[in-house]
Amino acid sequence: MLAEKMSMTKEFELFEQMSEHEQVVFCNDPSTGLRAIIAIHDTTLGPALGGCRMQPYSSVGEALEDVLRLSKGMTYKCAAADVDFGGGKAVIIGDPKTEKSPELFRAFGQFVNSLGGRFYTGTDMGTTMDDFIHAMKETNFVNGLPEAYGGGGDSSIPTAAGVLNGIKATNQLLYGNDALGPHVYAIQGLGKVGFKVAVGLLEAGAHIYVTDISEESLRAIGEVAVKTTGTVQRVAKEAIYSQKADIFVPCAFGGIINDTTIPQFKVKAIVGSANNQLLDARHGKLLQDKGILYAPDYIVNAGGLIQVADELYGFNKERVLAKTKHIYDAVLEVYRDATSSGKTTEESANAMCEKRIATRGKRNSFYSESVKPKWSIRKQS
């Protein structure tokens, strides 16, 4: 009897863990080895939109915690980017280097299709556009596709553009003009986005400190620097936090703003593309107390989201880049609200998004049979 009560308690704890979410789907296909979780956080603004990452999670619990956290973040990200979508995310449990197969992604596509358009997905950490070419054989609810398949192609281009716009907005507040060039930046990570951000800063004549685990990327950015008026200096992995720079630009890992790193920062602001940069909400207050501006990551890195959302209306590059420029205005709006209200910038950004969801939710009729959904633009087969 005691064992039965303990089991029921654990089951209810699971529901409590998922209580903020509308729907969580566990996907299992033994024939392909697929083990995945799809989390739909909120569809007030429209169907859930979020990428699918593949990682060798140590447990189902770890995978569930990750997908719940990421899907909630996508709700705020979609609201901040002003796209008519809600938040969702998917994770596949497995090693992306050894456990991928076309059949696995086709099986995943079938699970996505079973949701009937409540969830659109595409690439994320550990997955590629080629993976979703296989998935789209089973579902049309896929985006972030190559241009040859009607998609927008490399989403790191608008993501990097958004980061640069966020940096410009930060410079405008700090220095009274938004020029990139006269300043010093410490960039953590030279992946697809970080490398493009670094190039943009070098071309503007900035000095940058960089760190990355890839020697090839470090060498490549050095080669770019000699062709520009900017300069670059490599630093060790852990040394990037203590560089005397104007802005720290995290473009790699999440959780890098924490009790260990905050005392090391010698910057005026933090603006980057990495997801979930604050390890905990209280770290936003610690930054504020230290006088460091923090540009909420889900606003700064929204360029890729803007592109994949735009695909569903028929991709238009000019439209995407025009909307990405508004990240500049959104960052300034958050800074000004935080200054006037005394909130942290993260609190201001969240409040802005929650107000938008509440207001727009009264106007969106996505699930009304009498109103054709705005998002049902791409023809479904």
Side-chain angles (χ1 to χ4, degrees), residues 27-36 54 92-94 98-111 138:
C27 312
N28 183 48
D29 186 66
S31 66
T32 64
L34 175 72
R35 293 179 300 161
M54 185 173 185
I92 296 175
I93 302 171
T98 60
E99 297 183 65
K100 282 185 180 181
S101 69
E103 291 73 24
L104 182 144
F105 279 92
R106 290 190 69 157
F108 177 70
Q110 289 179 328
F111 281 105
E138 304 294 338

Side-chain angles (χ1 to χ4, degrees), residues 42-50 74-88 117-120 143 305-313 323 356-357 359-367 372-377:
D42 190 291
T43 57
T44 303
L45 296 181
L49 178 64
M74 286 302 299
T75 295
Y76 286 84
K77 191 170 182 175
C78 287
D82 196 21
V83 295
D84 286 335
F85 292 91
R118 277 177 53 78
F119 176 61
Y120 283 79
N143 51 12
L305 167 68
I306 290 169
Q307 175 166 301
V308 297
D310 190 78
E311 283 185 20
L312 301 176
Y313 296 86
K323 193 155 191 175
R356 184 168 290 172
I357 291 168
T359 303
R360 300 279 174 84
K362 298 174 182 177
R363 294 174 172 81
N364 288 358
S365 302
F366 289 103
Y367 301 112
K372 183 179 179 181
K374 297 177 184 178
W375 47 269
S376 186
I377 294 171

